[in-house]
Amino acid sequence: MALTNYRPKRAIVYTSVTGNTEQLAEMLQTAMLNQGLQSMLYRIEDFPLTALTSFDTLLIGTYTWGSGEIPEEMRDLYEAIERLDRKELQTAAFGTGDSFFAEFCGAVDRFRDMLYMKTQLVATLKVELMPQPSDSRRCEKLVELIKLQGMQLFFSEDQGDR
Ligand SMILES: Cc1cc2nc3c(=O)[nH]c(=O)nc-3n(C[C@H](O)[C@H](O)[C@H](O)COP(=O)(O)O)c2cc1C
């Protein structure tokens, strides 16, 4: 990658039924903006899956269903990333769940395990039900890691070009 005005393409993609994960996704977008990182915010239904390869960073947000299951609407994204197998893709998994259930945020764990194998997984974030104002600090932390690791990726690729 040359030293250019190359702009990484970042997206936050999420699913949410009762609004908890949506709130967390919005908190993350605010944290991204606070740290100067532009990102698109998509509900999974609106995410352009066919353009997956054009993204540099994906933050993936999900609630958990059944017994620790990934919701149906997130499965295509899960499988597409698994097939893509692109280690340069920077990712994070986040979500909300209810610790009443045996597998708290199990869907986040399932995404995490796959993303760790197939992409450059940076961080995960789990929140109990509705995000609280104190969770914004955790969002800021996650974004700090995205930023830091993004710089490392940039410089290592830049070195590789020489
Ligand atoms: C039928 C059902 C099954 C659930 N199973 C789990 C589960 O296994 N683990 C968990 O952490 N939360 C579970 N939850 C809780 C939801 O993941 C949680 O309420 C979440 O915050 C909903 O997110 P949303 O508001 O973005 O839709 C379940 C909820 C329902 C209704």
Side-chain angles (χ1 to χ4, degrees), residues 14-24 43 61-69 71 73 95-107 127-131:
Y14 71 94
T15 185
S16 184
V17 175
T18 60
N20 297 339
T21 314
E22 183 168 49
Q23 277 190 38
L24 189 56
R43 286 192 77 92
T62 183
Y63 63 93
T64 295
W65 195 242
S67 319
E69 295 298 322
E73 67 274 20
T96 65
D98 183 344
S99 54
F100 168 83
F101 290 89
E103 284 196 63
F104 174 60
C105 288
V127 165
E128 175 81 19
L129 297 170
M130 188 187 293

Side-chain angles (χ1 to χ4, degrees), residues 7-69:
R7 286 224 186 133
K9 202 168 157 190
R10 307 182 188 93
I12 301 171
V13 191
Y14 71 94
T15 185
S16 184
V17 175
T18 60
N20 297 339
T21 314
E22 183 168 49
Q23 277 190 38
L24 189 56
E26 287 167 356
M27 262 188 179
L28 278 165
Q29 194 186 33
T30 302
M32 295 279 269
L33 281 176
N34 287 345
Q35 297 191 44
L37 303 184
Q38 295 286 337
S39 64
M40 305 282 289
L41 183 65
Y42 294 100
R43 286 192 77 92
I44 186 64
E45 295 79 9
D46 303 324
F47 181 69
L49 196 55
T50 50
L52 183 60
T53 51
S54 68
F55 288 92
D56 300 288
T57 303
L58 282 184
L59 276 57
I60 298 164
T62 183
Y63 63 93
T64 295
W65 195 242
S67 319
E69 295 298 322

Side-chain angles (χ1 to χ4, degrees), residues 89-158:
L89 178 64
Q90 192 188 35
T91 57
F94 67 93
T96 65
D98 183 344
S99 54
F100 168 83
F101 290 89
E103 284 196 63
F104 174 60
C105 288
V108 175
D109 290 342
R110 283 167 202 212
F111 261 103
R112 177 204 60 204
D113 292 348
M114 182 276 290
L115 295 172
Y116 177 75
M117 296 300 291
K118 305 289 186 181
T119 70
Q120 195 70 232
L121 177 70
V122 179
T124 59
L125 175 62
K126 298 176 182 178
V127 165
E128 175 81 19
L129 297 170
M130 188 187 293
Q132 301 300 306
S134 58
D135 289 313
S136 64
R137 182 69 204 118
R138 300 174 70 205
C139 292
E140 296 285 345
K141 279 268 176 208
L142 186 149
V143 174
E144 279 166 23
L145 291 173
I146 294 271
K147 208 170 168 177
L148 193 67
Q149 207 237 18
M151 281 190 259
Q152 283 167 356
L153 268 180
F154 178 86
F155 284 117
S156 64
E157 282 178 25
D158 193 44

